[in-house]
């Protein structure tokens, strides 16, 4: 088990201050916020990037090796070794196709498989950009809300199967699966994923599995890759993933689509080669290769810190925002918090920004059943997390009974 001191060294936590982040970070998260605002909205960690990744990037830049990237052999080998060790999955190394980011891969699958005007399911509340993808491609969104509460929250496989098999124009052609689920952090059970695969095989519906948060699953939960389950049950599926969330390298622009012949037709594989050829950043290829191949210890340190932050968040909310309801996630660094009874009004994210000067994601943007919730980024120093929740607590309006 990694010690606290090693976690701090690996992630640079002891050296990171809010003032330093404001002075040195130029990404969306920090550059676009006012000096009195704490940015805790976008899925980007504040931790320092692993030195093995930064060293490899610097060496590549000094070599002037900044042309177009084509060969993904080393990246695919690194990911495959990682997937075998962490998840017991040995993917077909000849079935990976590069993409600049996960959104490009998801959109490529939708363009190829789903006719304009057709219905596509989302398991809401879910990552807001999925709605944008469907709007951009002139596809109709069908929301299938999650079922259950707290640790029992899960996708509604029965409702999805019914939607896939609906008659005529009511039929849902595809599902964008957030695996693990964003924003709840659900590590979907193998049983539920098998039910989805069976429903796909029976109906011909496409399952597009966005697995960008997969490296960040917390023990003792397990991540179940969808591709081997799809192959076992004859489902039509596409998997898209990247090291971008796990190792905080989203800006290097590299993702990959996994589409072996047993779950994706040759026509789609040809389409990927043509439409996304040479689209991976050569720096992103390096960052992803080093991350998957050499930096598991940094990833483990990040997960350990996030789990510690999550447990502290439970106590912070009890102390400062007693009306809040929060279930620690099984994956990633995003907290989904119910503030409907916390005295922050009908639009808590707006109230929090205005009164507490903390920028969080508005749950209403995540679809059905999201109103009154916020998504808060816990990939930060404990000090920043404490400051944010204290501020939010000061913005709450106590409810008096009697």
């Amino acid at each position: 088990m990694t010690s606290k001191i090693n976690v701090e060294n690996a992630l640079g936590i002891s050296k990171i201050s809010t003032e330093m982040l404001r002075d040195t970070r130029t990404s969306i998260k920090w550059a676009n916020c006012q000096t009195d605002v704490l940015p805790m909205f976008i899925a980007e960690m504040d931790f320092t990037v692993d030195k093995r990744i930064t060293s490899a990037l610097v060496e590549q830049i000094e070599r002037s090796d900044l042309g177009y990237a084509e060969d993904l052999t080393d990246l695919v080998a690194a990911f495959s070794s990682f997937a075998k060790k962490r998840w017991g999955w040995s993917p077909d190394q000849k079935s990976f196709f590069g993409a600049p980011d996960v959104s490009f891969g998801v959109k490529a699958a939708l363009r190829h498989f789903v006719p304009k005007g057709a219905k596509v399911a989302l398991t809401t509340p879910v990552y807001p950009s999925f709605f944008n993808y469907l709007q951009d491609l002139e596809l109709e969104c069908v929301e299938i809300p999650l079922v259950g509460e707290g640790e029992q929250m899960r996708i509604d496989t029965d409702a999805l199967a019914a939607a896939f098999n609906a008659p005529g124009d009511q039929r849902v052609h595809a599902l964008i699966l957030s695996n693990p689920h964003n924003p709840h952090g659900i590590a979907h059970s193998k049983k539920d994923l098998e039910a989805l695969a069976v429903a796909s095989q029976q109906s011909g519906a496409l399952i597009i599995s966005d697995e960008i948060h997969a490296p960040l699953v917390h023990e003792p939960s397990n991540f179940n890759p969808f591709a081997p389950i799809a192959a076992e049950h004859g489902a039509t599926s596409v998997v898209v993933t990247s090291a971008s969330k796990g190792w905080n390298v989203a800006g290097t622009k590299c993702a990959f689509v996994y589409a072996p012949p047993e779950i994706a037709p040759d026509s789609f594989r040809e389409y990927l080669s043509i439409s996304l050829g040479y689209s991976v950043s050569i720096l992103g290829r390096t960052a992803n290769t080093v991350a998957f191949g050499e930096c598991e210890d940094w990833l483990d340190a990040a997960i350990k810190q996030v789990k510690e932050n999550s447990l502290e968040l439970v106590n912070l909310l009890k102390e400062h925002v007693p009306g809040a309801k929060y279930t620690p996630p099984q994956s990633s660094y995003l907290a989904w918090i119910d503030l409907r009874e916390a005295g922050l009004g009908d639009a808590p994210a707006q109230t929090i920004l205005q009164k507490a000067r903390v920028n969080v994601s508005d749950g209403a943007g995540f679809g059905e059943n999201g109103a009154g919730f916020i998504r808060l980024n816990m990939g930060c120093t404990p000090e920043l997390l404490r400051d944010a929740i204290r501020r939010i607590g000061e913005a709450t309006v106590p409810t008096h009974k009697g």
Side-chain angles (χ1 to χ4, degrees):
M1 181 65 70
T2 310
S3 70
K4 184 175 175 59
I5 255 257
N6 287 336
V7 168
E8 290 185 346
N9 288 342
L11 307 179
I13 289 175
S14 60
K15 300 177 182 177
I16 299 174
S17 67
T18 303
E19 292 72 23
M20 182 182 297
L21 290 165
R22 292 193 197 281
D23 291 342
T24 60
R25 301 284 173 97
T26 61
S27 61
I28 291 172
K29 183 177 183 180
W30 285 97
N32 288 2
C33 74
Q34 295 175 311
T35 55
D36 64 335
V37 172
L38 299 179
M40 306 186 77
F41 63 107
I42 200 166
E44 171 187 321
M45 292 186 282
D46 291 335
F47 308 144
T48 56
V49 173
D50 190 295
K51 291 181 179 179
R52 287 160 290 194
I53 297 174
T54 57
S55 295
L57 292 175
V58 169
E59 290 173 8
Q60 184 167 345
I61 292 168
E62 289 178 341
R63 294 196 308 269
S64 297
D65 184 13
L66 299 174
Y68 296 107
E70 179 185 29
D71 185 2
L72 302 182
T73 303
D74 290 344
L75 168 57
V76 168
F79 174 78
S80 299
S81 177
F82 178 88
K84 175 66 174 178
K85 181 178 179 181
R86 304 283 282 209
W87 310 320
W89 174 38
S90 298
D92 173 15
Q93 296 191 31
K94 296 179 181 179
S95 294
F96 288 88
F97 301 83
D101 59 38
V102 164
S103 67
F104 275 77
V106 173
K107 287 183 178 180
L110 290 170
R111 285 192 186 96
H112 181 80
F113 285 101
V114 185
K116 282 188 178 182
K119 300 178 187 296
V120 176
L122 301 180
T123 53
T124 53
V126 77
Y127 179 49
S129 290
F130 288 171
F131 297 93
N132 299 333
Y133 302 167
L134 301 185
Q135 184 176 359
D136 290 346
L137 298 174
E138 299 179 39
L139 298 171
E140 183 179 343
C141 176
V142 175
E143 298 189 40
I144 308 288
L146 299 170
V147 293
E149 294 183 359
E151 295 180 354
Q152 304 304 314
M153 187 76 73
R154 52 181 288 271
I155 50 179
D156 191 340
T157 54
D158 291 338
L160 284 163
F164 294 158
N165 288 285
D169 293 342
Q170 298 305 306
R171 174 176 175 259
V172 167
H173 286 243
L175 163 70
I176 306 178
L177 174 68
S178 184
N179 181 34
H181 191 84
N182 172 7
H184 288 78
I186 302 166
H188 299 304
S189 70
K190 187 174 182 181
K191 179 181 178 182
D192 281 347
L193 296 180
E194 287 176 334
L196 276 183
V198 169
S200 167
Q201 188 277 328
Q202 292 175 345
S203 64
L206 168 71
I207 311 294
I208 304 171
S209 188
D210 175 348
E211 301 186 355
I212 196 169
H213 291 275
L216 289 158
V217 168
H218 307 172
E219 292 183 351
S221 299
N222 296 310
F223 171 68
N224 292 294
F226 190 68
I229 295 173
E232 180 181 355
H233 294 279
T236 302
S237 180
V238 172
V239 172
V240 192
T241 192
S242 172
S244 61
K245 299 301 182 189
W247 287 268
N248 211 35
V249 292
T252 61
K253 287 297 176 184
C254 173
F256 38 95
V257 182
Y258 182 67
E262 61 267 25
I263 63 174
D266 289 341
S267 60
F268 178 62
R269 294 153 57 81
E270 293 169 8
Y271 173 74
L272 287 174
S273 296
I274 296 169
S275 65
L276 295 179
Y278 306 106
S279 66
V280 168
S281 159
I282 199 167
L283 292 174
R285 183 184 66 180
T286 294
N288 274 245
T289 302
V290 175
F292 283 118
E294 302 178 28
C295 303
E296 276 192 73
D297 52 351
W298 187 98
L299 176 69
D300 289 336
I303 294 171
K304 184 174 187 295
Q305 183 60 57
V306 169
K307 288 178 69 175
E308 290 177 1
N309 285 357
S310 181
L311 290 174
E312 183 162 10
L313 179 58
V314 172
N315 296 323
L316 288 168
L317 290 170
K318 286 180 181 177
E319 178 181 356
H320 297 285
V321 195
K325 297 178 183 177
Y326 166 62
T327 300
Q330 298 170 324
S331 68
S332 204
Y333 47 85
L334 304 170
W336 184 246
I337 305 172
D338 182 352
L339 296 177
R340 291 174 294 180
E341 299 177 7
L344 287 160
D346 295 333
Q350 183 177 346
T351 302
I352 289 169
L353 180 58
Q354 291 175 345
K355 294 185 176 181
R357 307 305 287 160
V358 179
N359 191 357
V360 295
S361 299
D362 184 353
F366 290 73
E368 191 169 342
N369 299 331
F373 289 74
I374 63 167
R375 192 190 73 176
L376 180 143
N377 186 332
M378 299 183 291
C380 61
T381 64
E383 291 75 18
L384 194 152
L385 181 65
R386 293 174 196 132
D387 187 12
I389 303 306
R390 176 189 56 77
R391 291 188 188 194
I392 293 172
E394 292 173 354
T396 59
V397 178
T399 10
H400 300 286
K401 295 182 180 180

